[in-house]
């Protein structure tokens, strides 16, 4: 792939954002001198989202689904469809979206979803009262392979001073342009939860534990947020989301933590399997650690990814997932996607699946929150 020059939109946005950030820092410093603290502007869309999530958490747990409006087990790219809605009659409260391949100037993401359609669906879900979360699985910047290629020590190469830093800055610019484009027809910014660099405790991603040190990862996370803010991205809450561990401790969970200034939400990714009791036990133990840390650091909490591949247990949603989370203080649970072209990549409900009736029972529980349940908040 040939190297491209600077994106004019990115450059102009960066310059304007840098001036804006500088002005805000001056005002912030003055406020610190005069009042001893900087008051957060609670009227901004992202701060409204933060307050809304905290309020909703007191009412129950939102149920979410990755790529919900794009495809399901038996269909793809139809309009106004949703496996979740076709099972229980309502959209999920939370929808997840993926930016992988945006950095390559591709018109579609790594799962074949057109970015133009993605933008439309993000805005549509926001306008009907839903919550949006976004992940990013960028290609390995050193080898040119996908995110699951952990070779080449890419993290050290993309940080300042590294051989691939210019490329990475261009990638971040493209992400910034997309995030800033999330606006209603009236020009109102759509607030989202952005969850970059997840599952760093594992070794399967190029930003994972086998490809960088904890310090390098922390710098990567910080650098990402800094650059997005410099580009004028102010509509994101940022989620720190390790992969979970059966023996999780506060120390192990925070091993890669980039600091409170760069994180708004704590999350974790844990998937189920045939041993339901083991899943329930591990989820409860994990969130005992996370919730204690969230109270200490004053962060929101989510179950960022979960599911049971193909859901062969017809009662798993109520006796596995819900049994594990029903007493937890978390904002939402996100079930992973139902891939139409990969039968093994199937984690949510669908009309033809044996777990459909059980998912309707989950929906009927007053403590689970779907789209209609949160529209009043």
């Amino acid at each position: 792939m040939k190297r491209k020059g600077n994106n004019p939109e990115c450059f102009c946005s960066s310059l304007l954002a840098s001036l804006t950030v500088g002005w805000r820092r001056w005002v912030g410093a003055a406020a610190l001198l005069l009042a001893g603290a900087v008051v957060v502007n609670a009227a901004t869309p992202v701060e409204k989202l933060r307050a809304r999530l905290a309020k909703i958490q007191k009412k129950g747990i939102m149920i979410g689904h990755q790529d919900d409006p794009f495809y399901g087990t038996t269909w793809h790219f139809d309009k106004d469809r949703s496996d979740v809605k076709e099972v229980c009659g309502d959209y999920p409260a939370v929808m997840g979206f993926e930016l992988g391949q945006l950095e390559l100037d591709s018109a579609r993401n790594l799962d074949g979803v057109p970015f133009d359609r993605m933008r439309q669906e993000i805005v549509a879900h926001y306008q009907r009262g839903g919550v949006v979360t976004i992940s990013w699985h960028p290609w390995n910047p050193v080898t040119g392979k996908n995110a699951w290629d952990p070779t080449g020590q890419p993290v050290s190469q993309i940080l300042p001073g590294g051989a691939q830093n210019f490329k990475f800055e261009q990638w971040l610019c493209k992400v910034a342009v997309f995030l800033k484009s999330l606006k209603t027809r009236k020009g109102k910014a759509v607030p989202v939860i952005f969850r970059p660099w997840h599952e760093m405790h594992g070794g399967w991603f190029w930003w994972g534990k086998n490809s960088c040190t904890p310090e390098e990862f922390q710098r990567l996370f910080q650098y990402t947020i800094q650059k997005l803010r410099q580009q004028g991205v102010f509509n994101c809450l940022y989620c720190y989301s390790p992969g979970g561990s059966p023996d999780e401790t506060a120390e192990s969970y925070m091993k890669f933590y980039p600091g409170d200034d760069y994180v708004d939400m704590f999350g974790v990714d844990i998937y189920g399997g045939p041993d339901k009791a083991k899943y329930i036990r591990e989820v409860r133990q994990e969130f005992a650690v996370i919730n204690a840390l969230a109270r200490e650091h004053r962060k929101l909490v989510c179950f960022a990814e979960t599911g049971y591949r193909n859901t062969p247990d017809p009662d798993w949603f109520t006796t596995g997932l819900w049994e594990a989370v029903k007493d937890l203080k978390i904002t939402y649970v996100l079930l992973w996607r139902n891939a139409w072209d990969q039968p093994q990549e199937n984690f949510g409900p669908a009309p033809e699946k044996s777990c459909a009736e059980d998912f309707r029972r989950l929906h009927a529980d007053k403590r689970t929150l779907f789209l209609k349940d949160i529209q009043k908040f």
Side-chain angles (χ1 to χ4, degrees):
M1 182 177 295
K2 66 180 181 180
R3 177 163 164 162
K4 298 188 177 182
N6 288 322
N7 185 325
E9 181 177 356
C10 290
F11 175 78
C12 293
S13 297
S14 180
L15 178 61
L16 178 60
S18 296
L19 293 172
T20 303
V21 169
W23 177 81
R24 286 177 175 170
R25 285 175 179 167
W26 185 89
V27 172
L32 280 168
L33 290 172
L34 293 173
V38 177
V39 178
V40 174
N41 183 358
T44 64
V46 74
E47 290 304 326
K48 287 183 178 179
L49 174 60
R50 189 197 307 275
R52 186 185 184 213
L53 291 173
K55 186 175 182 180
I56 290 173
Q57 182 175 298
K58 297 177 182 178
K59 303 297 181 180
I61 299 174
M62 293 184 289
I63 304 299
H65 191 211
Q66 180 74 9
D67 278 354
D68 186 78
F70 301 127
Y71 51 78
T73 56
T74 62
W75 58 276
H76 61 283
F77 305 137
D78 298 354
K79 288 281 190 177
D80 303 317
R81 292 198 66 179
S82 157
D83 273 355
V84 169
K85 187 177 181 182
E86 290 175 18
V87 169
C88 70
D90 196 5
Y91 284 113
V94 180
M95 286 187 183
F97 302 86
E98 166 61 37
L99 297 185
Q101 286 191 181
L102 181 70
E103 71 280 359
L104 304 181
D105 292 320
S106 173
R108 295 173 179 264
N109 79 352
L110 55 82
D111 298 313
V113 177
F115 285 111
D116 286 343
R117 171 80 183 274
M118 185 185 299
R119 185 182 295 105
Q120 295 168 13
E121 294 291 354
I122 288 173
V123 174
H125 193 58
Y126 168 72
Q127 290 187 310
R128 57 180 168 246
V131 174
V132 171
T133 178
I134 296 177
S135 54
W136 184 29
H137 294 76
W139 254 225
N140 184 316
V142 173
T143 67
K145 298 179 180 179
N146 66 29
W148 289 264
D149 173 26
T151 63
Q153 302 295 314
V155 173
S156 64
Q157 295 299 308
I158 62 177
L159 290 171
Q164 301 298 327
N165 178 250
F166 175 83
K167 177 193 289 186
F168 186 56
E169 286 204 349
Q170 293 299 104
W171 285 10
L172 291 176
C173 182
K174 294 166 189 175
V175 171
V177 169
F178 182 85
L179 292 172
K180 289 188 297 181
S181 75
L182 302 177
K183 296 181 179 180
T184 66
R185 289 185 177 181
K186 294 183 179 180
K188 182 179 180 181
V190 174
V192 301
I193 300 163
F194 187 35
R195 188 174 63 98
W197 316 128
H198 67 304
E199 298 179 13
M200 75 297 294
H201 284 60
W204 43 89
F205 291 131
W206 59 258
W207 56 86
K209 67 177 184 179
N210 294 339
S211 303
C212 65
T213 66
E215 293 74 23
E216 286 174 332
F217 177 88
Q218 290 162 1
R219 290 175 60 201
L220 169 64
F221 203 108
Q222 294 164 358
Y223 188 68
T224 299
I225 310 310
Q226 289 167 358
K227 287 298 178 180
L228 292 179
R229 287 171 177 166
Q230 288 172 13
Q231 293 286 345
V233 176
F234 299 111
N235 59 322
C236 292
L237 295 177
Y238 296 100
C239 181
Y240 171 75
S241 180
S245 169
D247 303 310
E248 194 75 273
T249 65
E251 291 73 22
S252 62
Y253 183 83
M254 300 294 275
K255 184 176 181 179
F256 293 82
Y257 188 58
D260 285 350
D261 290 344
Y262 301 94
V263 174
D264 302 286
M265 176 177 282
F266 288 163
V268 72
D269 302 359
I270 302 176
Y271 284 83
D275 192 339
K276 192 184 305 184
K278 178 175 179 287
Y279 172 78
I280 293 169
R281 181 175 63 254
E282 290 184 1
V283 169
R284 289 175 177 174
Q285 290 174 349
E286 185 77 31
F287 278 101
V289 172
I290 294 174
N291 280 119
L293 288 168
R295 288 191 295 271
E296 178 184 348
H297 292 264
R298 302 182 69 180
K299 304 299 180 185
L300 296 163
V301 179
C302 73
F303 198 168
E305 285 185 32
T306 194
Y308 180 6
R309 192 179 299 275
N310 291 325
T311 331
D313 180 347
D315 299 317
W316 186 80
F317 287 117
T318 57
T319 64
L321 173 63
W322 188 241
E323 187 64 28
V325 305
K326 64 182 181 181
D327 297 321
L328 301 179
K329 297 296 183 182
I330 59 177
T331 55
Y332 68 83
V333 170
L334 185 79
L335 295 165
W336 205 239
R337 68 197 192 105
N338 283 358
W340 63 275
D341 58 344
Q342 298 181 48
Q344 74 279 8
E345 190 78 0
N346 178 328
F347 298 91
E352 78 284 358
K353 292 177 68 173
S354 63
C355 60
E357 183 58 38
D358 188 54
F359 193 81
R360 284 189 280 272
R361 288 192 288 269
L362 180 73
H363 173 261
D365 193 304
K366 292 182 179 179
R367 296 167 294 177
T368 62
L369 304 176
F370 288 73
L371 179 64
K372 293 176 184 176
D373 301 311
I374 68 168
Q375 287 174 328
K376 57 188 175 184
F377 297 111

